[in-house]
Amino acid sequence: MTEFTKRTVSPFRYDVVGSFLRPQALKDARAKFAAGKINQADLTAVEDKCITELIQKEVAAGLRAVTDGEFRRSYWHLDFFWGLQGVKHVNLKHGYFFHDEETRNDSAQVAGKISGKNHPFVNYFKFVRDHAPAGVQVKQTIPAPAQFLEELIRPENQASVKDNYASVDELDHDVAAAYHQVIEDLYAAGCRTIQLDDCTWGISVNNFANLKKKDPNADTSELKKLQERFLKVNNAAIADLPADLTVNTHVCRGNYHSTWAAAGGYGPVADTLFAQENVQAFYLEYDSDRAGGFEPLAKVPDDKYVVLGLITSKSGKLEDKQAIIDRIHEAAKYHPLDHLCLSPQCGFASTEEGNILTEDQQWKKVALVKEIATKVWG
């Protein structure tokens, strides 16, 4: 019988991406807060109670790294951007266009020089740290620096950048430095696991696929330059960090109310993302044909981990166990089985709307991930 490495830090053999469906009590409290019927202290009290209960459920489900479910956020990414110094919350004419619907229209624009001082997520982490039992790790999820740049290069947001930054290099430097500050502050608070959530690569493969569909000989050099910019800012943000801090990344193609934003295999970004991003593990969406095949995994260095997102969080229907096991072994043709793990392809609620499944179905998905992983890796 094959002996597999025992995982003591993230990623674990069975894992989750991080967000969970918001309880009705939390949804009600947020609605009351938005309507001015309760104050911030009242909302925080509800958040605290719901997060404490979530941690207990995560531990009961056997998860070895827990999160706050992103219960204090409206979005997986924008709330973090708004917590940076020099960034303002704005509403644009349109939201993001997903396959079946348009999202809410919130965004982030530059209002001054960007810095990461006194970011509220540090206190969010401390709360989970103080309520997680001994022996259970706390994973802090944050959107990747590249994701922030992706937001700032939306056409409606470019003017605010030019008003505050004389060059792209100056902006990218401050973004990386701001992230580095937040990560150092999280580390000082006891955080040892950071996950950079990053849809920019999914957008890139989507753009590549669309270009090639229109013209097989299309010039993709601009997309390559943008990839290199994203890689540079991500790596700069996580350079020179303590050796006992694990930094992983999660890549998907959009997750909003069970819809998706992008399609295309990882091939066009494998030489950049997989081969060169200085993270310890890649959490990858692989729950549909939109993700393509496993062949690009050959570009991931053998000493790094790949968490296969083979279980969908977009539906409550449970996958066939043997079919998932077979897919894990198919992936192992391109990356060592000992360096593979299993998770849902994304969170269950990247935004407070949540995906279209019940809380009971959510936890059955987590249980299925654990059951399959235990069968494969012991």
Side-chain angles (χ1 to χ4, degrees):
M1 183 177 176
T2 304
E3 284 288 326
F4 294 105
T5 305
K6 298 298 181 186
R7 300 295 301 144
T8 58
V9 297
S10 290
F12 294 101
R13 294 297 182 187
Y14 49 90
D15 217 325
V16 294
V17 170
S19 65
F20 286 92
L21 294 171
R22 311 307 198 254
Q24 192 59 48
L26 179 54
K27 290 185 175 184
D28 292 345
R30 289 186 72 93
K32 289 178 183 177
F33 178 75
K37 294 179 180 178
I38 62 173
N39 60 28
Q40 181 62 59
D42 295 328
L43 174 59
T44 298
V46 176
E47 291 172 342
D48 288 353
K49 182 175 185 293
C50 290
I51 290 169
T52 301
E53 292 171 352
L54 173 67
I55 293 168
Q56 293 168 352
K57 291 177 182 177
E58 290 178 272
V59 173
L63 295 177
R64 297 178 63 190
V66 301
T67 74
D68 65 1
E70 302 178 6
F71 281 7
R72 301 191 199 275
R73 309 183 213 180
S74 180
Y75 295 86
W76 64 277
H77 59 327
L78 292 175
D79 296 71
F80 181 87
F81 303 157
W82 298 329
L84 295 167
Q85 303 295 321
V87 178
K88 64 181 178 181
H89 181 171
V90 297
N91 293 96
L92 304 178
K93 187 175 181 180
H94 288 288
Y96 311 104
F97 290 98
F98 274 59
H99 183 246
D100 293 318
E101 62 184 294
E102 181 182 346
T103 72
R104 286 176 285 132
N105 65 346
D106 301 275
S107 186
Q109 290 183 352
V110 181
K113 296 302 183 185
I114 297 166
S115 98
K117 292 179 181 177
N118 303 316
H119 199 286
F121 275 37
V122 177
N123 284 331
Y124 297 173
F125 167 80
K126 289 178 181 177
F127 182 86
V128 186
R129 174 200 69 190
D130 292 345
H131 289 81
V136 173
Q137 294 175 21
V138 178
K139 176 166 74 172
Q140 181 62 50
T141 64
I142 61 176
Q147 192 71 48
F148 186 31
L149 293 185
E150 183 73 45
E151 192 69 25
L152 297 182
I153 62 177
R154 292 176 68 177
E156 308 94 323
N157 295 338
Q158 290 179 15
S160 72
V161 173
K162 291 177 181 176
D163 287 343
N164 292 279
Y165 283 94
S167 70
V168 166
D169 289 343
E170 185 188 355
L171 171 69
D172 292 2
H173 172 274
D174 279 10
V175 168
Y179 265 82
H180 199 273
Q181 175 77 61
V182 177
I183 293 171
E184 284 188 324
D185 290 348
L186 284 165
Y187 182 85
C191 184
R192 295 297 180 268
T193 304
I194 300 282
Q195 179 180 296
L196 302 176
D197 294 327
D198 200 346
C199 285
T200 56
W201 307 100
I203 294 167
S204 183
V205 298
N206 190 78
N207 291 342
F208 178 89
N210 287 341
L211 272 178
K212 288 295 186 181
K213 194 182 297 181
K214 293 176 185 174
D215 177 6
N217 299 311
D219 181 6
T220 58
S221 60
E222 289 303 313
L223 284 175
K224 184 65 176 176
K225 288 178 185 175
L226 194 57
Q227 284 186 39
E228 290 168 354
R229 181 184 177 193
F230 289 158
L231 175 73
K232 184 177 179 181
V233 74
N234 282 351
N235 279 344
I238 60 176
D240 302 318
L241 291 170
D244 62 339
L245 176 62
T246 298
V247 180
N248 302 322
T249 192
H250 164 248
V251 177
C252 80
R253 294 160 182 78
N255 186 48
Y256 177 84
H257 204 222
S258 291
T259 63
W260 51 272
Y266 292 102
V269 300
D271 286 325
T272 311
L273 172 67
F274 291 167
Q276 299 182 66
E277 187 155 294
N278 296 327
V279 293
Q280 283 98 322
F282 299 92
Y283 288 67
L284 300 177
E285 177 182 55
Y286 264 119
D287 67 323
S288 75
D289 292 342
R290 289 183 298 103
F294 296 121
E295 292 84 354
L297 297 183
K299 299 287 186 177
V300 179
D302 283 352
D303 62 340
K304 294 190 177 185
Y305 280 79
V306 172
V307 185
L308 298 168
L310 295 168
I311 305 296
T312 192
S313 69
K314 296 181 186 292
S315 161
K317 182 180 178 181
L318 288 176
E319 287 79 358
D320 178 78
K321 282 181 276 190
Q322 190 56 49
I324 298 300
I325 291 171
D326 291 345
R327 293 200 72 199
I328 291 170
H329 287 288
E330 178 68 24
K333 294 177 182 177
Y334 304 98
H335 194 70
L337 182 60
D338 191 36
H339 281 190
L340 295 176
C341 303
L342 182 66
S343 77
Q345 104 289 350
C346 197
F348 293 97
S350 299
T351 67
E352 59 185 303
E353 285 84 356
N355 284 345
I356 303 173
L357 75 167
T358 66
E359 188 171 337
D360 182 57
Q361 289 172 324
Q362 167 184 265
W363 291 109
K364 284 180 178 176
K365 289 273 181 173
V366 175
L368 180 64
V369 170
K370 181 181 178 184
E371 182 181 352
I372 293 172
T374 301
K375 186 166 185 178
V376 173
W377 292 285

